[in-house]
Amino acid sequence: MEIFLLDKTIVVVIVFLITLLIAMYSTWAERKVAGFIQDRIGPNRAGIFGILQPLADGVKMFMKEEIIPTQADKALFIMAPGISMLTALLTSSVIPWGSYLEINGRQVMMQITDINIGMLYIFAVVSTGVYGIMIGGWSSNNKYSLMGALRASSQMISYELALGLALISVIMMTETLSLKSIVEYQAINGWNIIYQPLGFLIFFICALAECNRTPFDLPESEAELIGGYHTEYSSMKLGLFLFAEYVNMFISGAIMSALFFGGYNLPFHEELSTVFSHNTLAILGTVSFMLKTFTFIFIFMWIRWTVPRFRYDQLMHLGWKILLPLAMFNVVATGTVILIKMLW
Amino acid sequence: MEKLTNRSKVVVKKEMTFLESIYLPAIFGGMWITLKHFFKKKPTIQYPEEKRPFSFVYRGLHILKRDEQGRENCTACGLCAVACPAEAITIVAAERKKGEEHLYREEKYAASYEINMLRCIFCGLCEEACPKDAVYLTEELVPSQYDRKDFIFGKDKLVQPLGTSAHPKTYKPYKK
Ligand code: SF4
Ligand code: SF4
């Protein structure tokens, strides 16, 4: 039992640190990608290729003056960034980062916990993510913040529906809610993207909206709302809000690669297992999982610096009148195919 | 109405076709463009390490020339100050004493010659006005200062140092 706890603690700490590290370097990567797309070279002064830029930014954030508006609801104002960060990080606990490692004859899972309702858990946590933004916007007692918070909540609620429906078809196919089982299902049957391209497209668009990324960054929209829900925030509180966005991005990238792109599975598993030991293979699997995730992060950034922001009515139109019916159609179609297969 | 140019385009608000209304082809097209830019060569110049050469006719910090024998050219005629549209030049004239012939070329010289670099617009009119080939604008940039009064450059900063080349550093096609 103690050994089990120790293993889990180590895995939790490692996952936590890696998530933070990747989120940190996503901020750097975002600026680099933005620079390259705009024919610039991005930050390159702090360390070689600007590799220390996130640290410099962190130090800057901590040194900034902390301002809490007098009319703000202090307790909620201080809590909000924490909630944002908390919900962003919580999701990482059910993501299967790899299969298991064999250490001294024990099997150490490279996943914090494999609960059998992993998908439901993710939904539950992701939908609480809006609270951080909502509370932050409301407690600032600022009209712009309130507008941002309103937009954020309506946007997230609208897109969560389509997101859920897109996943239902995946769950129908794999007949499980546990993420690990879904990944293992793909090892036998091939990646889900082959059978669910429409589902993936819907999921991807909704993930963009859930992470408040362009073209759905209406809650922030610097130009119209002066930053939206975090207008009044300064110092590291602002930093946490921005950071939570990058954590969210990383987690949604991970979820997408686990659900649709085979997670930590390697191609030619049988052939490779004759060459490498189990542990090497598990680590290689994790590396491939990370690569897939990074690709998604890059695509998120790429889209951000390509596509302009939606208008608000367009956003609602897209969510309710296009994505939702499409997702429903996808569920029905998947169901029909499954039924035909069963009757065959 | 008659058109002023042939570049104007008539904008028609027509219904989008199906392909246009699902946005995706346009978005992929845009992403292809940004991807091409991603791999383009960057035109950035790393400033303090790398500097771009100035144009031949760049007008920067002034210099008060000496002639081949090291004597100051300026005769304090004040034509530059009159020509200056920004009224940046202040001159105090003095008469050359006996024994100062090696210092000043003309019988009258500028005891004090000040240019306020905050007023100066670097138009180069002073250079054109000067009948004695005394004042020139070089390629140097005016260094930044913390204080306004430090921007008033006197003779100590303007006069060409002794022993340096008597030709202006910059290429001046309109002056021999
Ligand atoms: S460059 Fe123009 S503004 Fe400057 S001192 Fe000469 S005449 Fe005056
Ligand atoms: S710099 Fe030239 S124009 Fe100005 S006072 Fe001297 S001689 Fe006259």
PDB file of all heavy atoms in Angstrom, chain A residues 56-86:
ATOM      1  N   ALA A  56      11.908  34.885 -17.619  1.00  0.00           N
ATOM      2  CA  ALA A  56      11.925  36.349 -17.532  1.00  0.00           C
ATOM      3  C   ALA A  56      10.508  36.889 -17.391  1.00  0.00           C
ATOM      4  O   ALA A  56      10.245  37.782 -16.581  1.00  0.00           O
ATOM      5  CB  ALA A  56      12.598  36.923 -18.779  1.00  0.00           C
ATOM      6  N   ASP A  57       9.580  36.296 -18.175  1.00  0.00           N
ATOM      7  CA  ASP A  57       8.189  36.741 -18.084  1.00  0.00           C
ATOM      8  C   ASP A  57       7.631  36.481 -16.698  1.00  0.00           C
ATOM      9  O   ASP A  57       6.927  37.325 -16.131  1.00  0.00           O
ATOM     10  CB  ASP A  57       7.330  35.986 -19.109  1.00  0.00           C
ATOM     11  CG  ASP A  57       7.552  36.516 -20.508  1.00  0.00           C
ATOM     12  OD1 ASP A  57       8.131  37.605 -20.617  1.00  0.00           O
ATOM     13  OD2 ASP A  57       7.153  35.840 -21.457  1.00  0.00           O
ATOM     14  N   GLY A  58       7.961  35.297 -16.147  1.00  0.00           N
ATOM     15  CA  GLY A  58       7.474  34.952 -14.809  1.00  0.00           C
ATOM     16  C   GLY A  58       7.974  35.946 -13.780  1.00  0.00           C
ATOM     17  O   GLY A  58       7.204  36.467 -12.971  1.00  0.00           O
ATOM     18  N   VAL A  59       9.274  36.241 -13.843  1.00  0.00           N
ATOM     19  CA  VAL A  59       9.843  37.200 -12.900  1.00  0.00           C
ATOM     20  C   VAL A  59       9.149  38.538 -13.046  1.00  0.00           C
ATOM     21  O   VAL A  59       8.751  39.181 -12.070  1.00  0.00           O
ATOM     22  CB  VAL A  59      11.365  37.347 -13.144  1.00  0.00           C
ATOM     23  CG1 VAL A  59      11.911  38.502 -12.341  1.00  0.00           C
ATOM     24  CG2 VAL A  59      12.066  36.063 -12.783  1.00  0.00           C
ATOM     25  N   LYS A  60       8.934  38.942 -14.295  1.00  0.00           N
ATOM     26  CA  LYS A  60       8.266  40.221 -14.543  1.00  0.00           C
ATOM     27  C   LYS A  60       6.890  40.228 -13.893  1.00  0.00           C
ATOM     28  O   LYS A  60       6.517  41.173 -13.202  1.00  0.00           O
ATOM     29  CB  LYS A  60       8.137  40.449 -16.045  1.00  0.00           C
ATOM     30  CG  LYS A  60       7.528  41.782 -16.389  1.00  0.00           C
ATOM     31  CD  LYS A  60       6.994  41.800 -17.793  1.00  0.00           C
ATOM     32  CE  LYS A  60       5.611  41.214 -17.853  1.00  0.00           C
ATOM     33  NZ  LYS A  60       5.006  41.295 -19.183  1.00  0.00           N
ATOM     34  N   MET A  61       6.145  39.127 -14.108  1.00  0.00           N
ATOM     35  CA  MET A  61       4.787  39.058 -13.566  1.00  0.00           C
ATOM     36  C   MET A  61       4.794  39.193 -12.044  1.00  0.00           C
ATOM     37  O   MET A  61       3.950  39.865 -11.463  1.00  0.00           O
ATOM     38  CB  MET A  61       4.147  37.712 -13.936  1.00  0.00           C
ATOM     39  CG  MET A  61       3.671  37.654 -15.355  1.00  0.00           C
ATOM     40  SD  MET A  61       2.240  38.695 -15.584  1.00  0.00           S
ATOM     41  CE  MET A  61       1.758  38.256 -17.227  1.00  0.00           C
ATOM     42  N   PHE A  62       5.773  38.527 -11.401  1.00  0.00           N
ATOM     43  CA  PHE A  62       5.817  38.578  -9.935  1.00  0.00           C
ATOM     44  C   PHE A  62       6.199  39.961  -9.426  1.00  0.00           C
ATOM     45  O   PHE A  62       5.762  40.385  -8.367  1.00  0.00           O
ATOM     46  CB  PHE A  62       6.808  37.546  -9.398  1.00  0.00           C
ATOM     47  CG  PHE A  62       6.202  36.187  -9.248  1.00  0.00           C
ATOM     48  CD1 PHE A  62       6.587  35.138 -10.046  1.00  0.00           C
ATOM     49  CD2 PHE A  62       5.211  35.975  -8.287  1.00  0.00           C
ATOM     50  CE1 PHE A  62       6.010  33.888  -9.911  1.00  0.00           C
ATOM     51  CE2 PHE A  62       4.628  34.731  -8.147  1.00  0.00           C
ATOM     52  CZ  PHE A  62       5.033  33.691  -8.964  1.00  0.00           C
ATOM     53  N   MET A  63       7.051  40.664 -10.190  1.00  0.00           N
ATOM     54  CA  MET A  63       7.524  41.957  -9.720  1.00  0.00           C
ATOM     55  C   MET A  63       6.506  43.070  -9.935  1.00  0.00           C
ATOM     56  O   MET A  63       6.645  44.148  -9.386  1.00  0.00           O
ATOM     57  CB  MET A  63       8.813  42.353 -10.453  1.00  0.00           C
ATOM     58  CG  MET A  63       9.885  41.318 -10.411  1.00  0.00           C
ATOM     59  SD  MET A  63      10.544  41.131  -8.768  1.00  0.00           S
ATOM     60  CE  MET A  63      11.806  42.362  -8.808  1.00  0.00           C
ATOM     61  N   LYS A  64       5.495  42.820 -10.758  1.00  0.00           N
ATOM     62  CA  LYS A  64       4.541  43.884 -11.083  1.00  0.00           C
ATOM     63  C   LYS A  64       3.710  44.249  -9.862  1.00  0.00           C
ATOM     64  O   LYS A  64       3.468  43.421  -8.987  1.00  0.00           O
ATOM     65  CB  LYS A  64       3.611  43.401 -12.191  1.00  0.00           C
ATOM     66  CG  LYS A  64       4.285  43.317 -13.518  1.00  0.00           C
ATOM     67  CD  LYS A  64       4.202  44.615 -14.249  1.00  0.00           C
ATOM     68  CE  LYS A  64       5.071  44.554 -15.479  1.00  0.00           C
ATOM     69  NZ  LYS A  64       5.019  45.750 -16.258  1.00  0.00           N
ATOM     70  N   GLU A  65       3.239  45.490  -9.867  1.00  0.00           N
ATOM     71  CA  GLU A  65       2.422  45.922  -8.744  1.00  0.00           C
ATOM     72  C   GLU A  65       1.083  45.219  -8.787  1.00  0.00           C
ATOM     73  O   GLU A  65       0.494  45.015  -9.842  1.00  0.00           O
ATOM     74  CB  GLU A  65       2.214  47.436  -8.810  1.00  0.00           C
ATOM     75  CG  GLU A  65       1.544  47.962  -7.563  1.00  0.00           C
ATOM     76  CD  GLU A  65       1.156  49.419  -7.705  1.00  0.00           C
ATOM     77  OE1 GLU A  65       1.581  50.046  -8.672  1.00  0.00           O
ATOM     78  OE2 GLU A  65       0.417  49.883  -6.833  1.00  0.00           O
ATOM     79  N   GLU A  66       0.618  44.863  -7.611  1.00  0.00           N
ATOM     80  CA  GLU A  66      -0.638  44.132  -7.485  1.00  0.00           C
ATOM     81  C   GLU A  66      -1.750  45.147  -7.247  1.00  0.00           C
ATOM     82  O   GLU A  66      -1.701  45.906  -6.284  1.00  0.00           O
ATOM     83  CB  GLU A  66      -0.476  43.216  -6.279  1.00  0.00           C
ATOM     84  CG  GLU A  66      -1.698  42.542  -5.814  1.00  0.00           C
ATOM     85  CD  GLU A  66      -1.811  41.203  -6.453  1.00  0.00           C
ATOM     86  OE1 GLU A  66      -0.889  40.402  -6.260  1.00  0.00           O
ATOM     87  OE2 GLU A  66      -2.792  40.970  -7.136  1.00  0.00           O
ATOM     88  N   ILE A  67      -2.746  45.161  -8.110  1.00  0.00           N
ATOM     89  CA  ILE A  67      -3.828  46.137  -7.931  1.00  0.00           C
ATOM     90  C   ILE A  67      -5.138  45.397  -7.765  1.00  0.00           C
ATOM     91  O   ILE A  67      -5.506  44.577  -8.598  1.00  0.00           O
ATOM     92  CB  ILE A  67      -3.914  47.089  -9.136  1.00  0.00           C
ATOM     93  CG1 ILE A  67      -2.625  47.892  -9.263  1.00  0.00           C
ATOM     94  CG2 ILE A  67      -5.095  48.027  -8.972  1.00  0.00           C
ATOM     95  CD1 ILE A  67      -2.494  48.600 -10.563  1.00  0.00           C
ATOM     96  N   ILE A  68      -5.830  45.677  -6.666  1.00  0.00           N
ATOM     97  CA  ILE A  68      -7.176  45.139  -6.479  1.00  0.00           C
ATOM     98  C   ILE A  68      -8.119  46.327  -6.435  1.00  0.00           C
ATOM     99  O   ILE A  68      -7.975  47.188  -5.567  1.00  0.00           O
ATOM    100  CB  ILE A  68      -7.277  44.316  -5.180  1.00  0.00           C
ATOM    101  CG1 ILE A  68      -6.310  43.136  -5.256  1.00  0.00           C
ATOM    102  CG2 ILE A  68      -8.702  43.814  -4.978  1.00  0.00           C
ATOM    103  CD1 ILE A  68      -6.348  42.249  -4.045  1.00  0.00           C
ATOM    104  N   PRO A  69      -9.068  46.402  -7.354  1.00  0.00           N
ATOM    105  CA  PRO A  69      -9.966  47.560  -7.367  1.00  0.00           C
ATOM    106  C   PRO A  69     -10.730  47.665  -6.050  1.00  0.00           C
ATOM    107  O   PRO A  69     -11.094  46.659  -5.446  1.00  0.00           O
ATOM    108  CB  PRO A  69     -10.925  47.260  -8.523  1.00  0.00           C
ATOM    109  CG  PRO A  69     -10.273  46.199  -9.314  1.00  0.00           C
ATOM    110  CD  PRO A  69      -9.373  45.457  -8.418  1.00  0.00           C
ATOM    111  N   THR A  70     -10.975  48.902  -5.604  1.00  0.00           N
ATOM    112  CA  THR A  70     -11.642  49.064  -4.301  1.00  0.00           C
ATOM    113  C   THR A  70     -13.059  48.519  -4.324  1.00  0.00           C
ATOM    114  O   THR A  70     -13.561  48.048  -3.315  1.00  0.00           O
ATOM    115  CB  THR A  70     -11.704  50.553  -3.904  1.00  0.00           C
ATOM    116  OG1 THR A  70     -12.057  51.292  -5.063  1.00  0.00           O
ATOM    117  CG2 THR A  70     -10.386  51.033  -3.360  1.00  0.00           C
ATOM    118  N   GLN A  71     -13.710  48.608  -5.487  1.00  0.00           N
ATOM    119  CA  GLN A  71     -15.099  48.159  -5.559  1.00  0.00           C
ATOM    120  C   GLN A  71     -15.215  46.667  -5.818  1.00  0.00           C
ATOM    121  O   GLN A  71     -16.310  46.139  -5.927  1.00  0.00           O
ATOM    122  CB  GLN A  71     -15.829  48.922  -6.670  1.00  0.00           C
ATOM    123  CG  GLN A  71     -15.962  50.407  -6.415  1.00  0.00           C
ATOM    124  CD  GLN A  71     -16.742  50.706  -5.166  1.00  0.00           C
ATOM    125  OE1 GLN A  71     -17.848  50.215  -5.001  1.00  0.00           O
ATOM    126  NE2 GLN A  71     -16.158  51.484  -4.268  1.00  0.00           N
ATOM    127  N   ALA A  72     -14.085  45.988  -5.936  1.00  0.00           N
ATOM    128  CA  ALA A  72     -14.143  44.568  -6.278  1.00  0.00           C
ATOM    129  C   ALA A  72     -14.509  43.734  -5.055  1.00  0.00           C
ATOM    130  O   ALA A  72     -14.274  44.138  -3.919  1.00  0.00           O
ATOM    131  CB  ALA A  72     -12.799  44.113  -6.821  1.00  0.00           C
ATOM    132  N   ASP A  73     -15.084  42.571  -5.333  1.00  0.00           N
ATOM    133  CA  ASP A  73     -15.360  41.610  -4.271  1.00  0.00           C
ATOM    134  C   ASP A  73     -14.053  40.870  -3.997  1.00  0.00           C
ATOM    135  O   ASP A  73     -13.659  39.987  -4.753  1.00  0.00           O
ATOM    136  CB  ASP A  73     -16.447  40.649  -4.752  1.00  0.00           C
ATOM    137  CG  ASP A  73     -16.918  39.739  -3.643  1.00  0.00           C
ATOM    138  OD1 ASP A  73     -16.064  39.318  -2.841  1.00  0.00           O
ATOM    139  OD2 ASP A  73     -18.121  39.466  -3.586  1.00  0.00           O
ATOM    140  N   LYS A  74     -13.374  41.261  -2.896  1.00  0.00           N
ATOM    141  CA  LYS A  74     -11.979  40.846  -2.715  1.00  0.00           C
ATOM    142  C   LYS A  74     -11.795  39.344  -2.736  1.00  0.00           C
ATOM    143  O   LYS A  74     -10.951  38.816  -3.451  1.00  0.00           O
ATOM    144  CB  LYS A  74     -11.423  41.415  -1.408  1.00  0.00           C
ATOM    145  CG  LYS A  74     -11.057  42.842  -1.530  1.00  0.00           C
ATOM    146  CD  LYS A  74      -9.722  43.145  -0.892  1.00  0.00           C
ATOM    147  CE  LYS A  74      -9.378  44.597  -1.139  1.00  0.00           C
ATOM    148  NZ  LYS A  74     -10.478  45.515  -0.763  1.00  0.00           N
ATOM    149  N   ALA A  75     -12.594  38.646  -1.924  1.00  0.00           N
ATOM    150  CA  ALA A  75     -12.383  37.201  -1.785  1.00  0.00           C
ATOM    151  C   ALA A  75     -12.518  36.522  -3.143  1.00  0.00           C
ATOM    152  O   ALA A  75     -11.628  35.762  -3.556  1.00  0.00           O
ATOM    153  CB  ALA A  75     -13.389  36.632  -0.802  1.00  0.00           C
ATOM    154  N   LEU A  76     -13.595  36.833  -3.855  1.00  0.00           N
ATOM    155  CA  LEU A  76     -13.812  36.183  -5.149  1.00  0.00           C
ATOM    156  C   LEU A  76     -12.754  36.613  -6.153  1.00  0.00           C
ATOM    157  O   LEU A  76     -12.277  35.815  -6.957  1.00  0.00           O
ATOM    158  CB  LEU A  76     -15.205  36.523  -5.679  1.00  0.00           C
ATOM    159  CG  LEU A  76     -16.356  35.878  -4.929  1.00  0.00           C
ATOM    160  CD1 LEU A  76     -17.673  36.278  -5.555  1.00  0.00           C
ATOM    161  CD2 LEU A  76     -16.212  34.369  -4.932  1.00  0.00           C
ATOM    162  N   PHE A  77     -12.394  37.886  -6.069  1.00  0.00           N
ATOM    163  CA  PHE A  77     -11.402  38.429  -7.002  1.00  0.00           C
ATOM    164  C   PHE A  77     -10.086  37.664  -6.889  1.00  0.00           C
ATOM    165  O   PHE A  77      -9.431  37.370  -7.886  1.00  0.00           O
ATOM    166  CB  PHE A  77     -11.186  39.911  -6.692  1.00  0.00           C
ATOM    167  CG  PHE A  77     -10.337  40.635  -7.707  1.00  0.00           C
ATOM    168  CD1 PHE A  77     -10.893  41.079  -8.886  1.00  0.00           C
ATOM    169  CD2 PHE A  77      -8.995  40.875  -7.466  1.00  0.00           C
ATOM    170  CE1 PHE A  77     -10.129  41.748  -9.816  1.00  0.00           C
ATOM    171  CE2 PHE A  77      -8.223  41.541  -8.392  1.00  0.00           C
ATOM    172  CZ  PHE A  77      -8.799  41.981  -9.567  1.00  0.00           C
ATOM    173  N   ILE A  78      -9.727  37.346  -5.645  1.00  0.00           N
ATOM    174  CA  ILE A  78      -8.465  36.638  -5.445  1.00  0.00           C
ATOM    175  C   ILE A  78      -8.612  35.160  -5.807  1.00  0.00           C
ATOM    176  O   ILE A  78      -7.692  34.546  -6.334  1.00  0.00           O
ATOM    177  CB  ILE A  78      -7.997  36.813  -3.984  1.00  0.00           C
ATOM    178  CG1 ILE A  78      -7.639  38.280  -3.762  1.00  0.00           C
ATOM    179  CG2 ILE A  78      -6.812  35.925  -3.677  1.00  0.00           C
ATOM    180  CD1 ILE A  78      -7.395  38.633  -2.328  1.00  0.00           C
ATOM    181  N   MET A  79      -9.805  34.619  -5.574  1.00  0.00           N
ATOM    182  CA  MET A  79     -10.019  33.198  -5.814  1.00  0.00           C
ATOM    183  C   MET A  79     -10.029  32.840  -7.300  1.00  0.00           C
ATOM    184  O   MET A  79      -9.572  31.773  -7.691  1.00  0.00           O
ATOM    185  CB  MET A  79     -11.359  32.785  -5.201  1.00  0.00           C
ATOM    186  CG  MET A  79     -11.262  31.690  -4.190  1.00  0.00           C
ATOM    187  SD  MET A  79     -12.779  31.676  -3.253  1.00  0.00           S
ATOM    188  CE  MET A  79     -13.946  31.136  -4.474  1.00  0.00           C
ATOM    189  N   ALA A  80     -10.576  33.745  -8.117  1.00  0.00           N
ATOM    190  CA  ALA A  80     -10.883  33.401  -9.505  1.00  0.00           C
ATOM    191  C   ALA A  80      -9.706  32.818 -10.300  1.00  0.00           C
ATOM    192  O   ALA A  80      -9.862  31.763 -10.913  1.00  0.00           O
ATOM    193  CB  ALA A  80     -11.473  34.614 -10.214  1.00  0.00           C
ATOM    194  N   PRO A  81      -8.528  33.469 -10.285  1.00  0.00           N
ATOM    195  CA  PRO A  81      -7.437  32.877 -11.069  1.00  0.00           C
ATOM    196  C   PRO A  81      -7.064  31.494 -10.567  1.00  0.00           C
ATOM    197  O   PRO A  81      -6.728  30.611 -11.363  1.00  0.00           O
ATOM    198  CB  PRO A  81      -6.275  33.846 -10.861  1.00  0.00           C
ATOM    199  CG  PRO A  81      -6.848  35.065 -10.283  1.00  0.00           C
ATOM    200  CD  PRO A  81      -8.100  34.690  -9.600  1.00  0.00           C
ATOM    201  N   GLY A  82      -7.169  31.303  -9.253  1.00  0.00           N
ATOM    202  CA  GLY A  82      -6.872  29.993  -8.683  1.00  0.00           C
ATOM    203  C   GLY A  82      -7.815  28.943  -9.219  1.00  0.00           C
ATOM    204  O   GLY A  82      -7.388  27.841  -9.592  1.00  0.00           O
ATOM    205  N   ILE A  83      -9.106  29.285  -9.276  1.00  0.00           N
ATOM    206  CA  ILE A  83     -10.085  28.323  -9.789  1.00  0.00           C
ATOM    207  C   ILE A  83      -9.769  27.967 -11.239  1.00  0.00           C
ATOM    208  O   ILE A  83      -9.773  26.802 -11.633  1.00  0.00           O
ATOM    209  CB  ILE A  83     -11.509  28.901  -9.677  1.00  0.00           C
ATOM    210  CG1 ILE A  83     -11.862  29.129  -8.212  1.00  0.00           C
ATOM    211  CG2 ILE A  83     -12.514  27.968 -10.310  1.00  0.00           C
ATOM    212  CD1 ILE A  83     -13.211  29.768  -8.016  1.00  0.00           C
ATOM    213  N   SER A  84      -9.448  29.006 -12.007  1.00  0.00           N
ATOM    214  CA  SER A  84      -9.112  28.764 -13.419  1.00  0.00           C
ATOM    215  C   SER A  84      -7.978  27.756 -13.530  1.00  0.00           C
ATOM    216  O   SER A  84      -8.042  26.797 -14.291  1.00  0.00           O
ATOM    217  CB  SER A  84      -8.659  30.055 -14.080  1.00  0.00           C
ATOM    218  OG  SER A  84      -9.718  30.704 -14.674  1.00  0.00           O
ATOM    219  N   MET A  85      -6.944  28.019 -12.758  1.00  0.00           N
ATOM    220  CA  MET A  85      -5.760  27.173 -12.833  1.00  0.00           C
ATOM    221  C   MET A  85      -6.080  25.771 -12.341  1.00  0.00           C
ATOM    222  O   MET A  85      -5.656  24.778 -12.936  1.00  0.00           O
ATOM    223  CB  MET A  85      -4.684  27.821 -11.953  1.00  0.00           C
ATOM    224  CG  MET A  85      -3.314  27.338 -12.208  1.00  0.00           C
ATOM    225  SD  MET A  85      -2.781  27.888 -13.824  1.00  0.00           S
ATOM    226  CE  MET A  85      -1.410  26.797 -14.025  1.00  0.00           C
ATOM    227  N   LEU A  86      -6.844  25.697 -11.257  1.00  0.00           N
ATOM    228  CA  LEU A  86      -7.178  24.404 -10.657  1.00  0.00           C
ATOM    229  C   LEU A  86      -7.921  23.523 -11.650  1.00  0.00           C
ATOM    230  O   LEU A  86      -7.537  22.382 -11.909  1.00  0.00           O
ATOM    231  CB  LEU A  86      -8.032  24.638  -9.416  1.00  0.00           C
ATOM    232  CG  LEU A  86      -8.430  23.384  -8.656  1.00  0.00           C
ATOM    233  CD1 LEU A  86      -7.267  22.926  -7.823  1.00  0.00           C
ATOM    234  CD2 LEU A  86      -9.644  23.647  -7.787  1.00  0.00           C
TER     235      LEU A  86
END
